[in-house]
Amino acid sequence: MLEMIKAGVNFILDLGATAMLPIILTIFGVILGQKLSRSFRAGLTVGIGFTGLNLVIGLLSDSIGQASQAMIARLGLNLDILDVGWPIGAAITFATPIAVVLIPAIFIFNIILLRFNQTKTMDVDIWNYWHLIFPGAMIYYATNSIVIAIVCALINTFVIFKLADWTAPAVEHFYGLPGISLPHGETVNFAPITYALNKIWDKIPGINKIDINAENLKDKLGIFGEPMMIGLILGLGMGGLAGYDPKAIIQLGVQMSAVMILMPRMVALLMEGLSPIAEAAKTFIQKRFPGKEVYIGLDAAVVTAHPAIITCALIMVPITIVLAAVLPYNRMLPFADLAVLPFTVIWSIAASKGNIFRGLLNAIVSICIVFFIATNLGELTTTMAHAVGFAFPEGATMISGIDMSCHITLWIMLKLIDPSNVPQFAAGIIALLGYGALWFWTRNDIKRHYGLLDQTDKKSGSEGVGTNE
């Protein structure tokens, strides 16, 4: 029986997100009361949008990856934990014994949470469940207990869904995606930190006056402030830092210019398909549960088309490489996941409301945290990779990744699962209390930003985390 379930799960996963989402959304639309033809068209449009988005992200990944490797070679970095990238992280996670149990468990858990009003997010992006399974898999190899691992994975899932709920107003009002939430731990984990940092920048003279965003860049720089020109300039600069010849520098510049233009258009196509599904969900819920909201949980890729995100991420590539070299505690060599920096800076930009300067400051702090987690959990990540038979690249003794090291909630749970280790347990308690307090603060700040703070919230005394207004 278990083998049949595993075969069915593997078949679904092997379809990939672009083929799986149209099927899931078609079924979802029919359940919500839409005609089959309308649901199928909407689902297929989403699949086409994701296909186009993935092609553009692939172009971005290939271009940044090669330039990053060249920059690393020029700096002569030699660190003992290799960043193998999120695709390897996903493959290792899905290969763990706990994955086949957690995929249906998380889906059923999501339905239960919705039924009892514990979340508003319906996560339809099953391919990216690996982000929710990864913490459970890591805890399984840390404790050798499948029960503890499943419990911790579901606790983490609950936390991530709540965080997705709380940040959904920013997804709607700042990124322009109503009815959508982003239940990805490796991105939403950073929202409380970046919102808190934004409050700090508000208090620093000079910094609090700097406002660089896509709109005022266009006004101040004319044609050179347009997204395509920003992509060209950043691409040319990155090619120069990589030591490329003139031909390769120009090619990289044009490729980055193309990314800046094509990504928003692919997201627009994706949203064309999502809109009827979102409307059907809204109508369905309003009829059966008056006053209740449901968000469709999607891949964080849907917001990476924002010009400020791409701009910030491209600037962060050389900065991340330099940070890897100068941070005294870091042991991870950034490599394959340098291409996922657009995902890493999502909440750096949202917290600053598009201010690229503040977004960069937020992103630098975030990456410093990533390097700390990668170094701290490198041995455990390597143990998990060995256990599933991952073939290590030549010369690599330990592995991790930027994406795999963005799970702040996982790090906290790993410190809390062993009370006998007093120093680590104490660190986990302090981190939990501080992080929880930041989340409550962030939740109310996002509400206040968009006029959603009710009287109960106001009486709680939360003043928010800085508006950058």
Side-chain angles (χ1 to χ4, degrees):
M1 184 64 179
L2 187 61
E3 286 301 316
M4 290 179 64
I5 294 173
K6 188 174 182 179
V9 168
N10 287 338
F11 174 78
I12 294 172
L13 293 175
D14 288 343
L15 289 173
T18 54
M20 189 168 58
L21 266 177
I23 297 172
I24 293 172
L25 289 175
T26 298
I27 296 170
F28 191 42
V30 171
I31 291 172
L32 294 173
Q34 273 192 336
K35 290 183 178 179
L36 176 61
S37 58
R38 182 172 169 81
S39 297
F40 179 71
R41 186 185 187 283
L44 185 59
T45 303
V46 170
I48 293 168
F50 260 112
T51 299
L53 187 59
N54 285 338
L55 288 172
V56 180
I57 290 175
L59 172 62
L60 177 66
S61 299
D62 291 343
S63 303
I64 287 181
Q66 293 173 15
S68 301
Q69 291 171 29
M71 280 187 269
I72 289 168
R74 292 187 82 191
L75 283 173
L77 293 185
N78 186 23
L79 302 166
D80 64 344
I81 301 176
L82 178 64
D83 168 11
V84 294
W86 75 263
I88 299 297
I92 290 171
T93 300
F94 282 134
T96 59
I98 199 172
V100 70
V101 177
L102 280 177
I103 291 172
I106 289 172
F107 183 81
I108 294 168
F109 188 54
N110 192 176
I111 300 298
I112 293 171
L113 291 175
L114 279 168
R115 171 65 182 82
F116 291 98
N117 299 318
Q118 295 305 303
T119 186
K120 298 177 182 179
T121 292
M122 178 67 226
D123 190 357
V124 301
D125 189 20
I126 295 175
W127 164 251
N128 278 302
Y129 269 26
W130 85 266
H131 294 294
L132 300 175
I133 297 168
F134 177 73
M138 289 280 280
I139 289 170
Y140 172 71
Y141 286 101
T143 63
N144 201 31
S145 169
I146 195 167
V147 174
I148 294 175
I150 290 173
V151 170
C152 287
L154 294 181
I155 291 172
N156 179 74
T157 296
F158 174 71
V159 171
I160 296 304
F161 284 165
K162 293 301 292 185
L163 306 187
D165 292 346
W166 294 346
T167 52
V171 176
E172 175 179 357
H173 295 282
F174 178 70
Y175 287 118
L177 302 176
I180 304 299
S181 68
L182 309 178
H184 286 190
E186 82 287 2
T187 58
V188 78
N189 268 196
F190 283 101
I193 294 169
T194 55
Y195 275 84
L197 286 170
N198 200 55
K199 179 65 173 178
I200 294 173
W201 312 141
D202 276 338
K203 304 298 182 182
I204 300 177
I207 287 179
N208 59 8
K209 301 298 182 183
I210 301 174
D211 184 12
I212 302 173
N213 58 59
E215 288 304 314
N216 64 29
L217 273 179
K218 191 182 296 185
D219 293 339
K220 292 176 181 178
L221 302 179
I223 186 174
F224 293 102
E226 294 181 7
M228 70 170 70
M229 295 302 295
I230 292 172
L232 176 66
I233 293 166
L234 291 174
L236 294 175
M238 194 177 300
L241 290 172
Y244 283 180
D245 60 40
K247 177 182 174 183
I249 290 174
I250 293 171
Q251 289 174 337
L252 182 60
V254 174
Q255 287 168 347
M256 292 302 97
S257 182
V259 165
M260 295 288 281
I261 294 299
L262 293 176
M263 281 188 76
R265 296 186 182 182
M266 292 304 101
V267 171
L269 181 61
L270 186 148
M271 288 310 300
E272 180 185 328
L274 280 173
S275 292
I277 300 291
E279 284 299 316
K282 184 177 180 181
T283 302
F284 180 88
I285 295 300
Q286 285 176 345
K287 283 182 179 178
R288 289 159 180 80
F289 308 99
K292 183 176 179 179
E293 282 185 291
V294 172
Y295 302 127
I296 299 174
L298 287 179
D299 188 337
V302 298
V303 300
T304 56
H306 195 286
I309 286 180
I310 301 299
T311 302
C312 182
L314 291 178
I315 297 172
M316 278 301 298
V317 171
I319 292 175
T320 299
I321 294 170
V322 171
L323 286 173
V326 301
L327 288 174
Y329 59 80
N330 177 56
R331 293 170 58 191
M332 185 175 76
L333 177 68
F335 193 65
D337 263 350
L338 285 166
V340 305
L341 286 174
F343 293 82
T344 310
V345 305
I346 285 170
W347 291 104
S348 295
I349 291 297
S352 70
K353 300 190 80 172
N355 186 331
I356 297 169
F357 176 75
R358 288 194 184 196
L360 279 170
L361 296 179
N362 293 339
I364 289 169
V365 175
S366 298
I367 287 297
C368 289
I369 295 171
V370 168
F371 280 133
F372 170 77
I373 294 175
T375 300
N376 194 249
L377 302 185
E379 289 185 12
L380 181 58
T381 309
T382 303
T383 297
M384 185 168 76
H386 277 302
V388 302
F390 171 67
F392 279 56
E394 185 177 350
T397 56
M398 297 178 66
I399 67 164
S400 188
I402 291 174
D403 190 288
M404 288 184 278
S405 303
C406 286
H407 295 264
I408 297 171
T409 49
L410 165 62
W411 185 86
I412 293 173
M413 285 194 296
L414 282 168
K415 302 306 169 187
L416 294 175
I417 59 175
D418 184 12
S420 65
N421 189 329
V422 177
Q424 291 206 37
F425 186 74
I429 290 291
I430 293 169
L432 176 64
L433 293 175
Y435 192 68
L438 281 180
W439 258 119
F440 182 76
W441 197 11
T442 299
R443 174 196 180 196
N444 284 340
D445 184 65
I446 291 173
K447 286 183 176 182
R448 188 170 65 85
H449 271 210
Y450 304 110
L452 304 174
L453 201 65
D454 60 29
Q455 291 303 313
T456 302
D457 293 321
K458 289 177 181 177
K459 288 177 181 178
S460 70
S462 174
E463 292 298 325
V465 189
T467 61
N468 187 32
E469 290 175 346

